[in-house]
Amino acid sequence: MKIKEHLPFFLLLLAILIKFSWFYNMTAVRNHYIVIVLITSVIYTGLIILLSKKPWLSITVSALLTLLFEGEVVYFRYFNKLLSFSNFSQAKFALDVSDVMFGLIRYADIVLLIDLVVLAVILMKHGDVLHLKRKYKAITASMILMIVPFLTLASFGNEFAVSVMNQEFFMYHTKDGIEVYNHLNQEVVIEAPEPIETEEESIVEEKAYKGIFEGRNLITIQVESLQDMMLLQTYDGQEITPFLNQLIQKDSFYFSSYYQQLGRGNTSDSEFSSHNSMYPSMDGISYERYQDYDFKGLPVLLKDRGYETVAFHGNEAAFWCREEAYPNQGFDTFYSSEKLEMDDILGMGLSDQSLFAQGTDILKTIEEPFYGFFITLTNHNPYVIPEELIGIEVSEEDKSQLFGRYIESVRYTDEAIESFYNQLEASGLLENSVVIIYGDHHGIPSMDPAHKDRVSEFLGYDYDFDEMMNIPLIIHAPGSGITYQSDDIFDQQDLLPTLVNLFNIDESLNMMGQDMLNTEDYFALFQTYMLTGSFMKDDTVFEMSRDGVFENSRAYNRKTREPIDVSECREGYSRALYEIAVSKYLLENNKVVKESDVTRDVNQ
Ligand code: GP9
Ligand code: MN
């Protein structure tokens, strides 16, 4: 072989190897890294060679695939997960968060283009080096087909094949495509899962706090991107959330280890989990997928008891399919941007200050008791607050980063909530109300080293998933005299069961969560950011491995930060999978409010 003659081809191979080494570094491949880089490189090179007779086709396919690789990297930076065909339903909302997306692109991403440059030069000048003899073409084609035995082996549970399949670009997307196709074609019937052995649930005879809020109005403030680490915390000697800190101290239940519970619908899933105590879907947006289904979540239960139920959000009604979903979720009226006066736009929509002011005026006109559900928007990534509205001093260096802007923005929302309280008090609505405040989900991704390092420095310990996904929950009841603080693990599934007890609206319901005031079982599972199978129980944090192999997972103690042997986490892992299967079964078969052969309580 004449090396010189084939030099352009070797250069192309080298560029492709660099491209994928970098790609898999960016998508956190840790197991079988070299094998995976080689497999993708072989398949990708094979495609180029097979198409090289038509240079424009070859370069178009590479360019399109490269665009996908970049999309994958950007998505991974935010969601800690590869894209799925089930993400298509989210795509229509992507433009509205384009500034977040563009903020995730790095200059270094240019590495992904390296082979395209080499390929363009080759096709222009030395196109023939890619023209292989027929028999070599056959070999190349058969190398692409190596996907088939891998997927077959993985389907039999071979650990190596499973690990490679879940990480390698072409195999993962082939598997994902088949799964999503089957779902769309209704070939998959969601069966009731087989019950698993778990610890006996503690049965509480006399429920604490039963009915103490019966008959009061309820106002929920779901705060955009509010993390618990901002509360009871100072920045340069200044309290970040002085008003919320004050609320916690008086007439409140405060849960400081409360967790977000999301599927594919982000903010809307936070609403869905909190209102329905069901795990949101990973196969699409729950508000879209289950919009015609029967629910008996918080708004419906209150409506059945004579409450007027009203939702407020300063964005278009169609966003996250709220418009279609809210009637069956139990809302009488939805005040979205179409119905509100859009008189003060900040970031993605109406400012929190204006939302609360208009909301108070509307609440004054409706008959009590009412349920007012407010979804704030101002504290949304990229957290840009106009100078004159910034109520906290942040250093120039921090201000140039997400972390500093986040602190300014959180303070803005804290002040907006304070104004809301003042208006509610002045209108006489506050004293007979209960106000719930919780964050919808995290605001600063811990997966991104640029943010992780600064937040870790701020906290004084490693900023990891247990801190990132920790949102605050405050249940404030003026005049109640309650000062209750809990650091036990709960999540958004647990809100409804807790309120069912506090408002005495108990019914025979299927709920995945539990009453936080009447349990000693502290458990939360995760499906986003940490992969399905991940969970937290007591002080243990278990993060399911990126490659889907249990033994490759990671576990640590959230208080000591010491590693824990993953073999101790089998039971929690099985429980997480089981609970997701039960929830999926109930939702997919529209059995949330109907008599069901499966309930959440595995001991029944
Ligand atoms: C959109 C708002 C923000 O209406 O709720 O959604 P997010 O981008 O946080 O999912
Ligand atoms: Mn949100």
Side-chain angles (χ1 to χ4, degrees):
M1 187 182 4
K2 290 180 201 125
I3 298 275
K4 205 173 159 204
E5 203 177 290
H6 288 88
L7 192 63
F9 183 63
F10 289 124
L11 277 179
L12 179 65
L13 279 186
L14 184 65
I16 288 173
L17 284 172
I18 294 173
K19 176 189 185 105
F20 291 114
S21 305
W22 190 83
F23 174 75
Y24 285 118
N25 206 355
M26 288 299 104
T27 51
V29 165
R30 301 282 175 265
N31 302 303
H32 313 301
Y33 177 83
I34 293 173
V35 176
I36 288 165
V37 169
L38 287 176
I39 291 176
T40 310
S41 302
V42 166
I43 296 176
Y44 181 79
T45 314
L47 282 174
I48 291 175
I49 289 174
L50 289 179
L51 300 172
S52 63
K53 269 267 160 64
K54 293 199 174 94
W56 63 269
L57 188 62
S58 175
I59 199 110
T60 310
V61 168
S62 326
L64 286 177
L65 279 173
T66 302
L67 203 65
L68 255 181
F69 295 133
E70 174 63 6
E72 193 94 280
V73 167
V74 163
Y75 186 83
F76 197 91
R77 278 190 188 125
Y78 196 83
F79 287 103
N80 197 32
K81 203 176 168 71
L82 297 178
L83 278 160
S84 157
F85 286 98
S86 61
N87 287 120
F88 272 125
S89 55
Q90 288 170 303
K92 55 182 175 283
F93 304 116
L95 269 187
D96 293 75
V97 286
S98 54
D99 43 358
V100 180
M101 265 172 15
F102 287 118
L104 290 162
I105 297 173
R106 306 273 186 272
Y107 288 121
D109 292 356
I110 211 145
V111 176
L112 284 179
L113 299 176
I114 186 170
D115 65 301
L116 278 179
V117 178
V118 181
L119 180 64
V121 173
I122 290 182
L123 289 174
M124 276 189 295
K125 295 197 166 173
H126 317 269
D128 51 332
V129 296
L130 296 179
H131 298 160
L132 300 185
K133 287 192 184 130
R134 193 175 272 265
K135 78 170 180 205
Y136 292 120
K137 276 201 171 174
I139 294 173
T140 310
S142 55
M143 283 171 97
I144 295 175
L145 290 176
M146 73 176 141
I147 291 181
V148 178
F150 258 99
L151 294 185
T152 315
L153 267 179
S155 72
F156 287 109
N158 177 282
E159 217 168 80
F160 172 67
V162 168
S163 176
V164 171
M165 175 188 72
N166 282 322
Q167 301 179 92
E168 198 283 323
F169 179 87
F170 292 104
M171 292 192 202
Y172 167 79
H173 286 293
T174 308
K175 175 199 85 160
D176 179 63
I178 295 169
E179 282 173 7
V180 174
Y181 175 84
N182 286 343
H183 262 286
L184 288 176
N185 287 283
Q186 307 284 310
E187 275 172 33
V188 178
V189 178
I190 309 295
E191 304 275 1
E194 287 295 318
I196 55 160
E197 289 285 319
T198 59
E199 291 165 23
E200 281 287 316
E201 283 191 16
S202 50
I203 297 177
V204 183
E205 296 288 334
E206 191 88 345
K207 283 197 166 185
Y209 304 102
K210 189 164 182 62
I212 60 166
F213 297 153
E214 193 169 347
R216 282 205 193 203
N217 300 318
L218 178 59
I219 296 169
T220 296
I221 310 173
Q222 180 176 294
V223 184
E224 178 59 46
S225 305
L226 180 64
Q227 289 184 225
D228 187 71
M229 66 175 179
M230 292 287 105
L231 274 64
L232 304 176
Q233 179 67 273
T234 55
Y235 175 90
D236 229 357
Q238 312 158 83
E239 273 185 276
I240 301 172
T241 57
F243 183 69
L244 293 181
N245 297 350
Q246 197 183 308
L247 276 191
I248 289 169
Q249 311 301 339
K250 196 168 173 258
D251 296 334
S252 289
F253 294 100
Y254 169 45
F255 297 91
S256 60
S257 293
Y258 187 68
Y259 282 85
Q260 66 188 52
Q261 192 53 256
L262 309 180
R264 294 272 185 223
N266 223 36
T267 301
S268 63
D269 284 341
S270 164
E271 306 171 18
F272 183 83
S273 302
S274 306
H275 281 150
N276 299 299
S277 193
M278 286 283 143
Y279 293 105
S281 177
M282 288 298 287
D283 300 320
I285 299 164
S286 293
Y287 270 181
E288 187 171 47
R289 204 173 170 85
Y290 310 126
Q291 59 184 244
D292 302 322
Y293 284 29
D294 307 304
F295 286 94
K296 208 156 202 171
L298 183 64
V300 181
L301 289 168
L302 292 173
K303 197 173 145 85
D304 287 353
R305 279 151 187 84
Y307 280 62
E308 176 102 24
T309 55
V310 194
F312 303 90
H313 181 50
N315 195 5
E316 288 159 21
F319 206 95
W320 285 135
C321 309
R322 290 182 175 103
E323 190 172 29
E324 296 83 13
Y326 274 5
N328 276 0
Q329 288 293 317
F331 286 108
D332 293 320
T333 320
F334 176 26
Y335 288 93
S336 57
S337 64
E338 291 86 349
K339 287 198 179 121
L340 294 161
E341 191 72 49
M342 297 300 278
D343 54 1
D344 184 24
I345 308 287
L346 273 187
M348 262 182 102
L350 188 64
S351 72
D352 294 352
Q353 289 280 8
S354 180
L355 178 81
F356 288 137
Q358 295 185 52
T360 314
D361 286 343
I362 292 165
L363 289 181
K364 280 194 265 185
T365 65
I366 64 179
E367 214 169 295
E368 297 183 55
F370 57 72
Y371 176 39
F373 179 51
F374 288 78
I375 308 153
T376 78
L377 192 52
T378 304
N379 188 42
H380 196 284
N381 195 327
Y383 316 112
V384 181
I385 303 293
E387 274 305 313
E388 65 278 14
L389 299 177
I390 297 174
I392 186 164
E393 259 181 61
V394 171
S395 75
E396 283 307 316
E397 198 186 339
D398 281 335
K399 250 170 135 64
S400 66
Q401 304 291 327
L402 201 68
F403 172 69
R405 295 201 305 273
Y406 181 65
I407 287 185
E408 293 176 339
S409 172
V410 167
R411 166 59 82 86
Y412 167 87
T413 295
D414 183 71
E415 288 174 6
I417 295 174
E418 183 172 14
S419 310
F420 185 33
Y421 258 78
N422 292 337
Q423 290 154 22
L424 287 173
E425 198 158 24
S427 59
L429 292 175
L430 188 63
E431 57 182 326
N432 191 33
S433 298
V434 172
V435 183
I436 295 177
I437 301 171
Y438 62 83
D440 64 345
H441 50 72
H442 68 275
I444 305 185
S446 67
M447 298 82 76
D448 193 330
H451 310 314
K452 186 182 172 96
D453 295 348
R454 180 61 187 102
V455 180
S456 299
E457 189 193 343
F458 170 74
L459 293 169
Y461 54 85
D462 195 33
Y463 181 45
D464 210 323
F465 288 117
D466 61 299
E467 187 63 75
M468 180 186 99
M469 297 196 289
N470 183 187
I471 49 170
L473 169 67
I474 302 168
I475 304 178
H476 179 74
S480 63
I482 289 160
T483 46
Y484 182 104
Q485 298 198 9
S486 161
D487 182 35
D488 297 317
I489 303 289
F490 294 113
D491 71 31
Q492 289 171 329
Q493 300 298 305
D494 302 319
L495 185 62
L496 178 65
T498 308
L499 295 178
V500 156
N501 179 48
L502 287 170
F503 281 80
N504 212 5
I505 47 178
D506 207 354
E507 266 184 40
S508 167
L509 284 174
N510 279 313
M511 294 186 286
M512 299 306 300
Q514 52 192 336
D515 178 354
M516 294 179 272
L517 298 167
N518 288 286
T519 185
E520 285 173 5
D521 178 23
Y522 310 123
F523 180 84
L525 63 85
F526 303 95
Q527 297 196 82
T528 49
Y529 303 101
M530 287 207 274
L531 301 189
T532 303
S534 306
F535 69 88
M536 287 179 72
K537 181 163 170 54
D538 303 321
D539 290 335
T540 299
V541 184
F542 171 78
E543 185 197 1
M544 182 58 192
S545 172
R546 156 92 170 76
D547 67 353
V549 177
F550 175 86
E551 286 74 14
N552 295 338
S553 304
R554 170 175 86 110
Y556 62 96
N557 182 301
R558 70 173 173 135
K559 299 233 167 96
T560 63
R561 325 292 308 166
E562 292 293 323
I564 291 174
D565 190 340
V566 290
S567 61
E568 292 168 27
C569 300
R570 269 277 175 210
E571 196 181 315
Y573 167 73
S574 304
R575 175 174 171 188
L577 296 185
Y578 175 73
E579 298 215 0
I580 291 166
V582 172
S583 176
K584 187 167 178 169
Y585 171 74
L586 295 171
L587 283 166
E588 293 287 327
N589 295 295
N590 195 9
K591 285 187 170 186
V592 172
V593 297
K594 295 196 182 123
E595 282 292 304
S596 172
D597 39 339
V598 172
T599 64
R600 188 252 161 204
D601 183 352
V602 290
N603 297 311
Q604 277 180 7

